[in-house]
Amino acid sequence: MMRTRPLKVALLGCGVVGSEVARIMTTHADDLTARIGAPVELAGVAVRRPDKVREGIAPELVTTDATALVKRGDIDVVVEVIGGIEPARGLITTAFEHGASVVSANKALLAQDGAALHAIAEQHDKDLYYEAAVAGAIPLIRPLRESLAGDKINRVMGIVNGTTNFILDKMDSTGAGYQEALDEATALGYAEADPTADVEGFDAAAKAAILAGIAFHTRVRLDDVYREGMTEVTAADFASAKEMGCTIKLLAICERAEDGASVTARVHPAMIPLSHPLASVRGAYNAVFVESDAAGQLMFYGPGAGGSPTASAVLGDLVAVCRNRLSGTTGPGESAYAALPVSPMGDVVTRYHISLDVADKPGVLAQVATVFAEHGVSIDTVRQSGKDGEASLVVVTHRASDAALTGTVEALRKLDTVRGVASIMRVEGE
């Protein structure tokens, strides 16, 4: 039986994403009513600039007092799309305390304080949903915490930032340098005026923390995630990758140790074979590759940012939360029962591509190989080229720990015949 009293929704933020949420709530009102079992009503919109014209939103709904809005008591669901830590954290907490469930797209807050927010939601018997916090429109969080809840996930590896993927794809396809590709991304609106959060991996690291926590039933905070940006990736790195049949992507990698006793979460540029599904992800798209015991290998692909894609994920959560509200239930909360330790980056084992500038004379290769052997790092392939007394030596290793590789590189720098370490790149996806 259809309920006639509408479920009331408070919207915190009305920027690119928030305005799309409001628009879809209005234009798809009848469909949303049919899917939920009751009408949904936009009861208020909290903004910073009240004088700005917002098409489709009645002026009387707009307020600058977000706290008063979430304290009203008649609000069923608060949708938070303002981002950042504060005032978002305080507003979400207040919403729970005054009887509302919450839908959020706030990856930074969830990566930092997700456990505390889940605890408050549970204390007040309310929902906390955040599909839009990771990978935009791509259904990812719900499959991980619901569809795959009966499986054992071993690895989650993906491209979770559209800006960096656009830049790296442009460098790969055109031979452009980093700055040139960044300038184009900025001109097209893919990169912010200050792209630091994207290109230095902060955005991807927050998403990795969220994904690792859900996948491994373990609390993983942003501080637990190793982060390395992509600003040092060069056209020469792409040339080397192509010689190996690879390309370069900024990857978020969350994996369970082989013995199952710990997990790791990391973000960094990596070479991946062209045969890997992630290698074909172009432009500003996102894709996440999941490996589990029973389901095997799964890939989730689609637009990872933008107003409409992100609003789609928000509305999906809104429908789910409203259905729960009507039935008097709540959806899945935090699952952290495994409580696995998060290992440091030094314990991570992978392959490496190291490019060295060396003297072009007999015995150099033997010296370099000896250093690798002394640190327990096995060499897979070596390629050397040079003239006029200078040479380039490219070494690709078998799997080795990050700590062992770090020690190897430190020792290589001390050799008189090694002029410098041009680049170090991890090789993933094999």
Side-chain angles (χ1 to χ4, degrees):
M1 181 177 177
M2 183 73 68
R3 191 179 91 162
T4 56
R5 185 178 73 78
L7 292 157
K8 294 189 176 183
V9 178
L11 179 61
L12 307 183
C14 197
V16 174
V17 175
S19 60
E20 273 297 290
V21 170
R23 182 189 68 79
I24 295 172
M25 285 184 64
T26 301
T27 59
H28 295 182
D30 291 342
D31 285 338
L32 291 173
T33 298
R35 293 166 191 169
I36 292 168
V40 286
E41 174 188 306
L42 188 60
V45 182
V47 300
R48 286 183 297 177
R49 298 189 298 276
D51 297 333
K52 180 180 178 181
V53 176
R54 293 173 172 86
E55 186 177 349
I57 298 176
E60 61 267 23
L61 295 180
V62 177
T63 178
T64 57
D65 194 343
T67 301
L69 178 60
V70 299
K71 280 184 173 181
R72 273 177 37 175
D74 64 335
I75 300 297
D76 293 287
V77 184
V78 169
V79 174
E80 183 271 311
V81 289
I82 56 178
I85 306 303
E86 292 292 358
R89 175 170 49 196
L91 291 170
I92 290 174
T93 299
T94 302
F96 289 139
E97 292 170 347
H98 286 78
S101 289
V102 172
V103 172
S104 176
N106 195 331
K107 53 188 171 287
L109 177 58
L110 289 159
Q112 178 172 305
D113 289 322
L117 293 177
H118 272 295
I120 297 169
E122 183 177 1
Q123 176 187 347
H124 294 281
D125 198 27
K126 295 297 179 286
D127 275 322
L128 173 61
Y129 275 49
Y130 43 90
E131 185 68 64
V134 179
I138 304 172
L140 182 59
I141 289 176
R142 192 171 290 120
L144 287 178
R145 73 176 184 175
E146 296 182 32
S147 304
L148 296 172
D151 206 344
K152 178 184 178 183
I153 297 173
N154 297 310
R155 197 173 204 229
V156 179
M157 179 172 77
I159 299 161
V160 295
N161 183 278
T163 300
T164 55
N165 199 58
F166 178 89
I167 293 170
L168 291 172
D169 181 42
K170 186 60 62 174
M171 293 175 70
D172 185 29
S173 60
T174 69
Y178 166 75
Q179 189 60 52
E180 182 183 352
L182 173 60
D183 290 344
E184 182 172 350
T186 304
L188 292 172
Y190 291 124
E192 301 287 347
D194 180 0
T196 302
D198 295 322
V199 300
E200 293 294 351
F202 291 100
D203 176 84
K207 295 170 182 176
I210 295 169
L211 291 175
I214 296 170
F216 306 131
H217 304 279
T218 291
R219 287 178 179 170
V220 179
R221 289 171 51 88
L222 181 59
D223 292 345
D224 296 321
V225 182
Y226 171 84
R227 178 193 55 79
E228 184 181 319
M230 48 155 283
T231 57
E232 301 301 317
V233 177
T234 66
D237 292 325
F238 274 102
S240 294
K242 287 182 179 180
E243 290 180 359
M244 291 179 58
C246 293
T247 188
I248 299 172
K249 300 291 186 182
L250 184 75
L251 297 178
I253 304 172
C254 314
E255 57 189 352
R256 190 188 301 268
E258 290 185 6
D259 62 5
S262 64
V263 298
T264 57
R266 50 197 165 102
V267 169
H268 54 72
M271 294 183 180
I272 57 172
L274 295 176
S275 58
H276 194 282
L278 291 177
S280 61
V281 178
R282 310 300 298 270
Y285 275 70
N286 284 191
V288 177
F289 200 71
V290 178
E291 300 175 29
S292 68
D293 276 0
Q297 297 179 332
L298 306 169
M299 190 165 111
F300 301 83
Y301 169 84
S308 293
T310 305
S312 171
V314 170
L315 266 295
D317 279 350
L318 179 62
V319 169
V321 169
C322 285
R323 287 172 175 169
N324 292 343
R325 192 86 172 182
L326 287 179
S327 63
T329 63
T330 56
E334 183 191 31
S335 176
Y337 74 90
L340 297 171
V342 182
S343 296
M345 187 62 186
D347 293 347
V348 170
V349 175
T350 189
R351 298 179 67 205
Y352 290 87
H353 175 284
I354 305 103
S355 180
L356 304 172
D357 294 326
V358 300
D360 187 16
K361 62 182 184 180
V364 173
L365 179 55
Q367 284 184 320
V368 169
T370 298
V371 170
F372 275 88
E374 288 173 347
H375 288 80
V377 179
S378 176
I379 293 175
D380 183 17
T381 62
V382 178
R383 186 175 69 255
Q384 184 173 3
S385 61
K387 60 181 180 179
D388 300 327
E390 299 296 330
S392 174
L393 191 64
V394 175
V395 178
V396 179
T397 74
H398 288 291
R399 288 170 61 81
S401 72
D402 187 82
L405 196 282
T406 298
T408 302
V409 172
E410 289 176 354
L412 288 171
R413 294 183 193 276
K414 296 176 182 178
L415 293 177
D416 292 339
T417 52
V418 174
R419 310 298 192 216
V421 180
S423 69
I424 303 170
M425 187 80 64
R426 296 171 182 86
V427 183
E428 302 285 349
E430 294 186 317

